[in-house]
Amino acid sequence: MEKARLIPMKKVDIIVSGERLPFVRDLLSRVRVTGYTIIPNVSGMGHSGFYEGNLIYNETSSLVLLMSVVKEAQVELILEGLTPLFERYSGIMYVSDVGVSRQDHFVHAPGESDGPM
Amino acid sequence: MKTALSSSPRTGKWDLSGISDGQRIGLRSHVELASEALSFVYRMTTFIHHNPLHEFEELPFFEAIRKASALFGGRTSLESDDWRELYSRGRIDREILLSILRSEVSGIGVVGEAGGRLLGRALPDLLEGHLLYEWDRPLSSDPIMVEGRPAFFRLRRDLAAPVRESHEARFGGGGEEAYCLRLWEACKGFAAGQLPGAAWSDPAASYLPRPGPSLTLLEWVDIFCDGQWKKRIDRLMIKWLGAFLDEGVSTWNLPNRERGFYRVWQSMAASDREILFWGLENAHAEISGLPENPEDTLMGALVAMEIPRAGLTDYLERHATALPGWLGYVKWRSSKSDDPWARTYPVDLVMVLAVRLFYEQAVVDHVCRTRLGICGTIPAVLEWIDGNAPELLTRNYAARFGVPMAWGARLGTLADRFPDPGDPRWARISQVREEWLEALRAEGGSRSRSGRLYHVAQALGLSPEEVGELDPREWERFEQIADTLDFPKRHEIWQRSLEESCDQELFALFEPWRERRVDPTLAPVRARPTAQMFFCIDVRSERLRRHIESLGGYATYGIAGFFGVPFRFQSYQKAGTQIQAPVLLSPRHRVREIPRAYEIERADRHFRRHQKTRSLIHLFHELKDHVITPYVLVEALGWFYLLPFLGRTFLPGAFARVREFLEGLVLPEIATALTVARVEEGEAQAMIEAEQHAKIRKALLDVVGSHTRSVSPSTVEEVRQAALSESRFREGFSLRAREELLLTAPGEADLIKKLRTLYTINMRRSRVLLETIMTVGFGTEEQAYHVENSLRTIGQTENFARLVLVCGHGSDSFNNPFESALDCGACGGNRGIPNARVFVEMANNPAVRDSLKKRGIEIPYDTHFLAGEHNTTTDRIVFYDLESVPLTHRRDLKRLWRDLEEAGLRAAEERAAELPSLDSPSGPREAARALFRRSCDAAEVRPEWGLSKNASFVVGGGSLAGTANFAGRAFLHSYDPARDPDGRLLEAIMTGPLVVGQWINAEHYFSLLDPERYGGGNKIYHNVAGAIGIMWGNESDLLPGLPVQTLREGERLYHEPVRLMVVVEAGRDRIDRVVTNNPPLRRLLSNGWIRLVAADPSDLSDPSAPSKRALYRWQAPGRWSGVDRTPLSQHERTD
């Protein structure tokens, strides 16, 4: 059996308040990522204090974690979009190296325009 | 560091091929940040009470008001007349006011010195007097001073009688005028002789406006053009936005709206000749050559004006906040991805700002080139300013405050019409201005010390001689006080006094609870209440709850109006879904309303009649909007419309009943049920299979022939399988099928093809259908989860009554664009009855009750939940789904119904006394009739007070509120601290319903503070725009808030401007934990947007416990201070 190859890509993790979620989703779709995962109601500690997380009757005040696997070129676009946001609002974003085995799953097929919008 | 946005060379202004994608994305982020100050403006049909300063909640309360004023131009204080009126009415306690005043001036060192007297008066009187008479602000209705000097020599009109008499006694020969002149001369002499330094400066006169982050180029060029350009651009934007955002009102729609706002504008603006009349021919010609992307146009405009990158966000923010209503609506709309209108006709803030800045760039370019002779860029403008500063100062002052009369005397006609910029005559005008300022400084400007002394002397009754003998040190101390208590500070003081006075009234209601003891020797006898009722926390429920409880045996609970069950609701015969949940949640479940099984025949007839009626109405509207037909229509149908016209005007109540009766004849109401239970996958497949079988049989009849009528089910199934399989049909049918169908091979292939396309029997459609069916409703465990959460949150988990009424609320009014504001905010601005019905069905479900039992909540077998709706306009309750009530509960039901009628009448009587009307109804029945009439009257601007006068939010059990009369001012949420050991339920309440309560309170407060910017103005000149919102007159910004009629009774205030006071029945450490773990809540508290008091539910039977339970006020995280009850003093009127 052929040894599975891992193709290096970048993973972007973004933690923002629930209120910023529509903007971040819009940004990711404009950058043309193929997909992302949202984990809602995360708890944690940061500069602005401790966030409890799962509030039964409120989805906008809690924190949300978005994860997405993207090409390196797209990371820069995401950075351009998020840097002004993080100058004003609390939240974090970090990029890590990951390897995927099905690269075509995370990349738009050639022929589809790769540019934003 | 890049100072310009794009440094790449460009061939033309709109050639932006050098812009990278990263820059485009970055620009979008800047726009997003620039629009942060805008708060959502919701569609009129789902009006949500929201805080117009929601985005300022990270600032302390009063600072936020000031900042918002700088950005939006809103007021920072109520009219002083309003405060004075509240004070004279006794709403503000004098002692509280004086203690707050003393604490404010304690820093100056006046208190305690010289026996607490100043200028011959006791200090408290002096402070109170300053607050009431505003000695540094002459009455706007009685301007005896102009430019700091008396215009007419007479006394102030608002002097107290004894003071006026003491002045009049000194008039002597010359009368009032001579006396006032003497007084003025004495004041001037005192100021000149005894007070060192002239101490007058008017920052406004020396403010040099520079375009940049706090002033747009558009506003700057307007200084030269009488402010007309900003108005023109605003009007242009309103025109385009109004045309684009219209939702069905206009007869002739903007074409091609699906392409998005920007593209539609670009294609249509070339035909809009309005800007040609303003002289912007170049811009008009450029429109057709603009880029396809709005980001590129925005970038191009910014680059053309050379806006620096630093401060770009603030610059865009000034543009975004120019029309906060319309742009707030666009912001809300672009955040809703599931709204059909938003999806079909997209618009977002980047598109809108691109259009606006294109126009700005055109105007600035035009004005700068034609009038100033420079390019329309920031650097060029700044250079011009440096060279022409005096002219700019003069122009700016004149633009903001008008040309002072003194200039006219010296300049003649030059003062009426300023010469062009750069004209040599400006040197003379500037010189006149300088000299005028000098003269004012010497003699005293509007804030001059002698002017102030003049006012104070009048108000205190000082004679000219006494003025001369004043102690300068005392006067200076007084001036310090007056400077500390400036206009915004006075508003703050008034407000805090009002809030504390209201607090004292509120805490008095808790006295019974503070002293209540439970005798430990008596074992509690558990008797079931006659019935239990869950109402919404809405302030309007409080009255009804109080009255129904007074009838004995009933226990009521308060819970957020959606009863803890969020879902999307598709009501009967409507295509779209509405969200029945607070805006803090985005529900994923769907519930449909379908006719009950026994209504099959009537439902069918109803459907056909409904179609016919709709097409008739549609036809009528088409005829009305046609060019010619209205002439004929008026002749033909005009007489018929006399009946409704007279009926609605003179007999609204009777007419409404007749109309209801006739509607019931033609389109009788169909009894419906809600699809609460989720269908299992197996069952869903079976449903789809049955439907497809029926379709196939029909298809066989149509396509093949009538001999297929007797085809066997197995054949039909075979055909179905063939149609559903994704491969091409090759094998052919089995022998038996062929015998029955009698088709040739090509005929069979043709049949399958037709089934797949025409009759949509294919795999994809089956999957869609399956998904549609299975996303409707809630699974059993989900149902148990929701019911358990709601019951535990309110603390009702045992001792259920035989009948539990779950009561949503809604309101009835006629011709009221704010109808949705009176409905339930927790249900997304809709009526609360669907949530009640869903909750009831869940709670009555035996499978759910089994699951609840496992979770620890045992609902007895004979408890039945019942859904009802409280009509808040008429205070009547209507029950729903009565078919499900078991026969054994018939008597309970009847008893409940009768008692609710009685309670409703009493509540109606109480409310009718507060509603202004020509005749005061006597007795409950008349009151109920009067309220019903209000709900059908088209001319009624105030069908009910709604949530006006809300002041507090009480979280606690029945014993906390007891039988206290909150007068419809409190949100009451039930909560049992004993059943919430880890504080999770309290957290759910404080982060959910409390936030909604705070929004409601803030909405009312700001609509009262500034009806024009944050509120809804006066209903008289309201104009419904595009069925989405309300404008003022022909074209104006969309009004985001509540109309004046909701908050005031004529000129008098009805709603009191207080911040929400939250009272929680729980220990302090539990509340501290909740607050610490939730930064948004902590922010609200630290910044003073809400006020919090803990009602400590300690056990008084413990011998070491204090004599009565304590209340603690929250000061900071972890810091509380005891609340002591100072008795409200008798208000002594000092005038």
Side-chain angles (χ1 to χ4, degrees):
Chain A
M1 213 165 88
E2 226 179 78
K3 186 162 176 239
R5 285 191 319 128
L6 282 183
I7 300 153
M9 293 193 79
K10 297 283 186 188
K11 170 164 152 319
V12 177
D13 286 322
I14 306 171
I15 299 183
V16 283
S17 159
E19 287 175 337
R20 309 270 90 76
L21 183 59
F23 174 69
V24 177
R25 287 177 63 185
D26 183 64
L27 169 67
L28 289 177
S29 68
R30 279 176 194 276
V31 173
R32 303 275 298 199
V33 306
T34 51
Y36 51 84
T37 305
I38 299 180
I39 302 180
N41 291 333
V42 299
S43 330
M45 227 280 290
H47 287 273
S48 49
F50 183 77
Y51 273 83
E52 181 50 68
N54 192 357
L55 305 171
I56 311 176
Y57 296 135
N58 190 333
E59 278 170 18
T60 55
S61 301
S62 46
L63 297 177
V64 162
L65 167 66
L66 287 115
M67 300 192 289
S68 184
V69 172
V70 298
K71 291 194 303 193
E72 191 151 351
Q74 290 170 307
V75 170
E76 203 181 301
L77 289 177
I78 297 177
L79 262 177
E80 286 252 19
L82 285 181
T83 309
L85 194 76
F86 286 139
E87 276 167 17
R88 212 187 259 208
Y89 291 104
S90 62
I92 58 172
M93 171 202 159
Y94 50 87
V95 182
S96 45
D97 288 311
V98 299
V100 302
S101 57
R102 305 177 292 161
Q103 193 195 22
D104 47 335
H105 193 80
F106 294 97
V107 170
H108 280 289
E112 280 179 60
S113 69
D114 251 320
M117 287 150 261
Chain B
M1 188 188 79
K2 277 200 280 200
T3 49
L5 281 168
S6 165
S7 45
S8 52
R10 299 164 296 122
T11 50
K13 199 199 293 186
W14 301 113
D15 169 29
L16 293 137
S17 46
I19 306 287
S20 72
D21 289 335
Q23 284 178 305
R24 287 196 183 97
I25 296 218
L27 187 60
R28 288 197 78 87
S29 280
H30 279 287
V31 170
E32 165 81 11
L33 288 179
S35 65
E36 270 311 310
L38 294 170
S39 85
F40 284 167
V41 174
Y42 296 86
R43 195 186 274 132
M44 190 177 76
T45 48
T46 51
F47 187 99
I48 305 289
H49 292 267
H50 64 293
N51 181 2
L53 270 61
H54 179 65
E55 307 298 337
F56 294 87
E57 275 170 8
E58 63 229 17
L59 295 171
F61 185 73
F62 293 103
E63 197 182 310
I65 298 184
R66 278 196 290 275
K67 184 145 189 278
S69 163
L71 209 49
F72 295 118
R75 302 179 54 133
T76 53
S77 137
L78 275 188
E79 288 286 346
S80 312
D81 284 334
D82 287 327
W83 289 122
R84 284 191 274 256
E85 198 257 333
L86 280 174
Y87 188 54
S88 61
R89 239 200 290 162
R91 295 299 305 150
I92 302 180
D93 181 59
R94 186 162 186 267
E95 288 306 318
I96 294 177
L97 178 65
L98 290 177
S99 74
I100 292 182
L101 276 171
R102 264 193 287 262
S103 69
E104 283 295 325
V105 303
S106 60
I108 306 180
V110 202
V111 183
E113 247 205 46
R117 293 185 75 83
L118 199 61
L119 297 179
R121 290 284 197 95
L123 188 61
D125 289 334
L126 199 65
L127 293 174
E128 186 189 359
H130 178 56
L131 206 60
L132 282 174
Y133 293 113
E134 297 187 297
W135 289 322
D136 56 346
R137 281 169 64 92
L139 288 180
S140 51
S141 57
D142 186 20
I144 60 172
M145 309 272 279
V146 169
E147 289 167 15
R149 271 166 299 175
F152 314 102
F153 286 98
R154 56 169 169 72
L155 295 171
R156 280 172 71 134
R157 288 211 185 99
D158 64 340
L159 294 177
V163 173
R164 180 172 275 271
E165 278 162 19
S166 73
H167 279 299
E168 281 169 356
R170 307 186 198 113
F171 275 178
E176 189 172 356
E177 209 172 309
Y179 176 74
C180 291
L181 184 58
R182 272 193 300 141
L183 190 58
W184 172 244
E185 292 299 329
C187 294
K188 271 203 315 185
F190 180 81
Q194 312 275 18
L195 302 173
W200 179 81
S201 68
D202 190 350
S206 41
Y207 170 60
L208 192 65
R210 279 200 167 80
S214 53
L215 189 72
T216 59
L217 269 175
L218 182 66
E219 290 167 325
W220 189 84
V221 302
D222 254 350
I223 299 174
F224 299 91
C225 309
D226 291 328
Q228 63 179 357
W229 282 111
K230 182 165 184 294
K231 286 201 202 104
R232 280 179 177 166
I233 302 282
D234 282 344
R235 270 186 18 225
L236 208 52
M237 296 305 301
I238 294 173
K239 178 173 86 174
W240 284 106
L241 284 171
F244 186 85
L245 294 170
D246 175 87
E247 287 180 13
V249 167
S250 64
T251 319
W252 198 355
N253 282 319
L254 201 58
N256 298 324
R257 284 193 281 173
E258 313 79 35
R259 302 177 59 201
F261 178 73
Y262 173 74
R263 305 247 165 102
V264 168
W265 169 81
Q266 199 210 345
S267 55
M268 305 276 317
S271 335
D272 178 22
R273 307 178 73 80
E274 190 167 356
I275 61 175
L276 289 178
F277 296 133
W278 302 340
L280 303 173
E281 291 92 8
N282 295 345
H284 188 83
E286 281 174 2
I287 288 180
S288 40
L290 285 176
E292 285 286 301
N293 284 331
E295 293 90 353
D296 294 351
T297 307
L298 182 57
M299 184 79 83
L302 290 170
V303 168
M305 292 189 286
E306 290 187 34
I307 314 277
R309 187 191 214 112
L312 171 67
T313 308
D314 291 325
Y315 191 88
L316 290 174
E317 188 178 52
R318 277 207 77 81
H319 271 289
T321 53
L323 290 173
W326 283 105
L327 294 193
Y329 183 76
V330 168
K331 185 180 173 187
W332 169 75
R333 202 164 177 273
S334 61
S335 75
K336 280 184 78 68
S337 49
D338 50 3
D339 183 72
W341 287 97
R343 261 205 317 249
T344 329
Y345 307 133
V347 62
D348 64 36
L349 282 161
V350 173
M351 295 186 200
V352 174
L353 283 182
V355 173
R356 192 183 167 94
L357 263 87
F358 168 78
Y359 282 127
E360 181 195 19
Q361 172 276 126
V363 164
V364 165
D365 191 62
H366 173 79
V367 173
C368 284
R369 273 186 303 108
T370 54
R371 298 204 70 192
L372 298 175
I374 56 173
C375 305
T377 66
I378 287 200
V381 164
L382 289 176
E383 204 183 305
W384 186 92
I385 291 177
D386 288 333
N388 295 290
E391 180 189 335
L392 188 58
L393 280 172
T394 315
R395 275 192 187 269
N396 186 46
Y397 187 86
R400 287 184 62 189
F401 302 106
V403 177
M405 291 188 303
W407 298 9
R410 299 191 53 187
L411 292 171
T413 50
L414 267 186
D416 294 329
R417 269 181 66 86
F418 282 146
D420 288 333
D423 194 293
R425 288 175 282 180
W426 273 104
R428 172 142 167 70
I429 302 178
S430 307
Q431 192 196 11
V432 164
R433 192 183 129 266
E434 285 297 329
E435 289 167 6
W436 171 75
L437 276 180
E438 273 307 311
L440 277 188
R441 278 194 197 108
E443 217 182 316
S446 56
R447 285 191 204 86
S448 72
R449 301 172 94 170
S450 36
R452 205 185 244 176
L453 181 54
Y454 185 57
H455 279 286
V456 173
Q458 284 197 19
L460 293 182
L462 301 173
S463 71
E465 295 76 33
E466 284 171 331
V467 167
E469 286 161 14
L470 279 178
D471 182 359
R473 276 187 328 229
E474 270 200 13
W475 174 248
E476 278 180 358
R477 229 174 262 136
F478 172 79
E479 281 190 324
Q480 273 182 303
I481 294 175
D483 285 334
T484 315
L485 301 179
D486 60 359
F487 191 52
K489 182 55 104 177
R490 287 202 291 265
H491 170 80
E492 190 181 327
I493 292 174
W494 277 121
Q495 187 177 323
R496 280 165 52 194
S497 319
L498 178 62
E499 284 169 351
E500 278 199 40
S501 308
C502 287
D503 289 349
Q504 298 297 350
E505 282 177 14
L506 180 67
F507 297 152
L509 295 174
F510 295 127
E511 280 303 303
W513 172 82
R514 293 179 77 173
E515 293 168 352
R516 178 167 304 144
R517 284 162 196 286
V518 177
D519 193 340
T521 57
L522 284 181
V525 177
R526 292 296 220 145
R528 293 174 91 177
T530 317
Q532 286 161 329
M533 288 170 251
F534 296 173
F535 284 95
C536 179
I537 55 175
D538 198 288
V539 298
R540 293 168 283 183
S541 315
E542 186 264 329
R543 281 189 222 271
L544 194 60
R545 285 175 65 175
R546 204 183 343 123
H547 285 289
I548 191 71
E549 280 183 350
S550 73
L551 290 176
Y554 294 104
T556 66
Y557 299 84
I559 182 176
F562 70 116
F563 303 107
V565 188
F567 55 91
R568 290 167 198 276
F569 181 60
Q570 187 176 348
S571 71
Y572 182 48
Q573 292 190 342
K574 283 226 177 74
T577 55
Q578 57 195 41
I579 298 187
Q580 298 275 148
V583 292
L584 301 166
L585 298 171
S586 50
R588 285 165 269 276
H589 298 274
R590 268 193 316 130
V591 169
R592 292 181 55 204
E593 187 182 15
I594 52 177
R596 286 198 180 246
Y598 59 82
E599 295 270 35
I600 298 177
E601 211 186 300
R602 285 180 76 205
D604 213 26
R605 229 180 325 157
H606 187 277
F607 181 69
R608 276 182 276 122
R609 282 202 199 154
H610 187 71
Q611 298 281 73
K612 284 202 198 115
T613 317
R614 267 189 32 200
S615 36
L616 275 178
I617 294 178
H618 187 69
L619 175 66
F620 176 68
H621 280 297
E622 296 256 297
L623 291 176
K624 259 204 316 179
D625 293 328
H626 197 268
V627 180
I628 308 284
T629 45
Y631 295 103
V632 183
L633 213 55
V634 167
E635 306 280 323
L637 291 180
W639 63 268
F640 173 68
Y641 273 88
L642 186 65
L643 294 169
F645 177 69
L646 291 176
R648 286 206 184 110
T649 314
F650 295 111
L651 302 162
F655 180 76
R657 278 191 235 270
V658 166
R659 191 160 177 268
E660 215 177 296
F661 172 71
L662 288 175
E663 252 182 47
L665 283 184
V666 175
L667 285 177
E669 264 200 46
I670 300 289
T672 55
L674 300 182
T675 59
V676 176
R678 173 171 295 164
V679 175
E680 297 293 319
E681 181 166 351
E683 197 179 334
Q685 294 280 21
M687 284 167 67
I688 296 175
E689 190 179 312
E691 179 155 344
Q692 285 175 336
H693 269 235
K695 260 200 201 160
I696 290 175
R697 279 185 191 270
K698 187 166 180 306
L700 287 177
L701 277 178
D702 291 339
V703 175
V704 182
S706 52
H707 62 270
T708 55
R709 213 180 281 270
S710 52
V711 130
S712 65
S714 55
T715 309
V716 174
E717 179 60 25
E718 214 183 305
V719 172
R720 189 179 87 99
Q721 290 296 343
L724 284 182
S725 84
E726 315 233 307
S727 59
R728 278 176 47 133
F729 181 64
R730 271 181 239 279
E731 301 89 40
F733 292 129
S734 67
L735 195 57
R736 182 170 168 192
R738 277 215 206 105
E739 275 176 19
E740 292 190 345
L741 291 174
L742 300 176
L743 281 174
T744 58
E748 284 172 0
D750 180 54
L751 169 68
I752 297 298
K753 192 158 138 235
K754 278 220 176 76
L755 282 176
R756 282 187 188 157
T757 51
L758 265 180
Y759 292 90
T760 64
I761 302 198
N762 52 49
M763 202 59 204
R764 191 163 165 274
R765 177 104 181 106
S766 295
R767 280 201 209 110
V768 168
L769 268 179
L770 187 66
E771 202 187 303
T772 314
I773 294 180
M774 290 195 58
T775 54
V776 168
F778 296 80
T780 309
E781 284 309 309
E782 284 173 324
Q783 293 183 33
Y785 169 77
H786 284 295
V787 174
E788 182 191 2
N789 271 344
S790 303
L791 290 177
R792 285 200 194 281
T793 306
I794 59 176
Q796 171 54 25
T797 51
E798 53 185 23
N799 198 21
F800 288 89
R802 276 170 60 82
L803 211 49
V804 179
L805 174 67
V806 177
C807 206
H809 69 96
S811 119
D812 269 340
S813 52
F814 196 59
N815 190 27
N816 184 8
F818 290 96
E819 193 171 36
S820 174
L822 294 172
D823 282 338
C824 187
C827 300
N830 303 302
R831 303 182 85 106
I833 185 64
N835 293 74
R837 292 172 75 185
V838 167
F839 185 87
V840 154
E841 184 147 341
M842 287 184 179
N844 282 337
N845 185 344
V848 171
R849 288 202 186 177
D850 279 340
S851 178
L852 283 174
K853 194 159 158 190
K854 290 193 203 107
R855 295 165 186 240
I857 300 181
E858 186 163 351
I859 303 181
Y861 174 66
D862 65 343
T863 295
H864 181 80
F865 287 78
L866 175 66
E869 188 179 50
H870 173 202
N871 183 332
T872 50
T873 325
T874 57
D875 266 322
R876 309 201 57 210
I877 301 209
V878 176
F879 297 140
Y880 280 75
D881 294 330
L882 287 169
E883 298 96 342
S884 330
V885 179
L887 291 173
T888 46
H889 287 67
R890 205 169 47 83
R891 285 237 163 126
D892 306 85
L893 190 62
K894 201 154 165 207
R895 244 197 317 266
L896 179 64
W897 179 74
R898 261 207 229 113
D899 284 336
L900 281 173
E901 288 276 304
E902 173 69 33
L905 285 175
R906 290 194 196 169
E909 190 181 4
E910 204 180 287
R911 273 201 317 127
E914 289 186 353
L915 283 164
S917 60
L918 284 176
D919 48 357
S920 40
S922 56
R925 295 220 172 263
E926 265 202 44
R929 236 176 290 142
L931 291 177
F932 176 70
R933 206 176 32 241
R934 289 182 97 97
S935 74
C936 333
D937 195 347
E940 182 60 65
V941 293
R942 193 187 288 116
E944 54 162 312
W945 278 117
L947 291 142
S948 261
K949 229 176 178 178
N950 67 79
S952 51
F953 193 105
V954 179
V955 179
S959 62
L960 178 66
T963 54
N965 182 351
F966 292 96
R969 301 188 67 181
F971 295 95
L972 299 175
H973 198 300
S974 297
Y975 170 67
D976 190 348
R979 290 181 211 273
D980 182 28
D982 50 8
R984 297 284 285 170
L985 300 171
L986 182 63
E987 188 180 46
I989 296 176
M990 288 183 80
T991 54
L994 175 58
V995 173
V996 176
Q998 185 254 334
W999 285 3
I1000 294 176
N1001 178 269
E1003 170 91 85
H1004 283 77
Y1005 179 91
F1006 288 109
S1007 298
L1008 190 61
L1009 184 69
D1010 192 342
E1012 282 157 37
R1013 281 275 184 273
Y1014 307 132
N1018 196 320
K1019 271 196 181 183
I1020 293 183
Y1021 25 80
H1022 273 180
N1023 177 16
V1024 175
I1028 56 162
I1030 298 166
M1031 282 201 298
W1032 202 328
N1034 186 29
E1035 55 192 357
S1036 81
D1037 193 17
L1038 218 52
L1039 297 172
L1042 297 169
V1044 156
Q1045 276 84 358
T1046 312
L1047 304 160
R1048 284 179 193 262
E1049 204 178 314
E1051 289 291 327
R1052 252 165 64 123
L1053 286 179
Y1054 179 78
H1055 176 76
E1056 291 176 358
V1058 294
R1059 292 169 286 178
L1060 198 64
M1061 158 54 79
V1062 183
V1063 180
V1064 177
E1065 185 185 353
R1068 283 166 289 170
D1069 40 354
R1070 187 184 298 178
I1071 302 180
D1072 272 330
R1073 257 205 321 272
V1074 170
V1075 169
T1076 316
N1077 288 346
N1078 290 286
L1081 187 60
R1082 196 173 61 227
R1083 257 202 307 271
L1084 280 180
L1085 278 169
S1086 305
N1087 291 329
W1089 288 82
I1090 53 176
R1091 292 144 339 109
L1092 177 61
V1093 158
D1096 205 337
S1098 44
D1099 186 9
L1100 291 183
S1101 52
D1102 192 346
S1104 65
S1107 61
K1108 61 181 193 177
R1109 300 190 177 95
L1111 299 173
Y1112 299 99
R1113 205 187 277 269
W1114 190 95
Q1115 305 284 4
R1119 265 205 309 127
W1120 301 80
S1121 68
V1123 167
D1124 44 52
R1125 280 238 314 130
T1126 56
L1128 290 182
S1129 68
Q1130 276 289 86
H1131 174 67
E1132 298 141 0
R1133 289 162 203 268
T1134 50
D1135 47 9

